[in-house]
Short mmCIF file of all heavy atoms in Angstrom, two decimals:
data_model
loop_
_atom_site.label_atom_id
_atom_site.label_comp_id
_atom_site.label_asym_id
_atom_site.label_seq_id
_atom_site.Cartn_x
_atom_site.Cartn_y
_atom_site.Cartn_z
N GLU A 256 92.90 60.02 63.16
CA GLU A 256 91.76 60.60 62.44
C GLU A 256 90.57 59.66 62.39
O GLU A 256 89.66 59.84 61.58
CB GLU A 256 92.19 60.97 61.02
CG GLU A 256 93.30 62.00 60.95
CD GLU A 256 93.73 62.30 59.53
OE1 GLU A 256 93.00 61.91 58.60
OE2 GLU A 256 94.80 62.93 59.35
N TRP A 292 66.96 33.59 75.61
CA TRP A 292 67.84 32.54 76.13
C TRP A 292 67.48 31.16 75.59
O TRP A 292 68.18 30.19 75.83
CB TRP A 292 67.80 32.52 77.66
CG TRP A 292 68.23 33.83 78.23
CD1 TRP A 292 67.48 34.69 78.99
CD2 TRP A 292 69.51 34.45 78.09
NE1 TRP A 292 68.21 35.80 79.32
CE2 TRP A 292 69.47 35.68 78.78
CE3 TRP A 292 70.69 34.09 77.44
CZ2 TRP A 292 70.56 36.55 78.84
CZ3 TRP A 292 71.78 34.97 77.50
CH2 TRP A 292 71.71 36.17 78.19
N LEU A 500 38.09 58.27 66.24
CA LEU A 500 38.39 56.95 66.79
C LEU A 500 38.53 55.94 65.66
O LEU A 500 39.40 55.05 65.71
CB LEU A 500 37.29 56.52 67.75
CG LEU A 500 37.48 55.15 68.43
CD1 LEU A 500 38.77 55.13 69.24
CD2 LEU A 500 36.29 54.82 69.32
#
Side-chain angles (χ1 to χ4, degrees):
E256 299 178 14
W292 301 117
L500 181 60

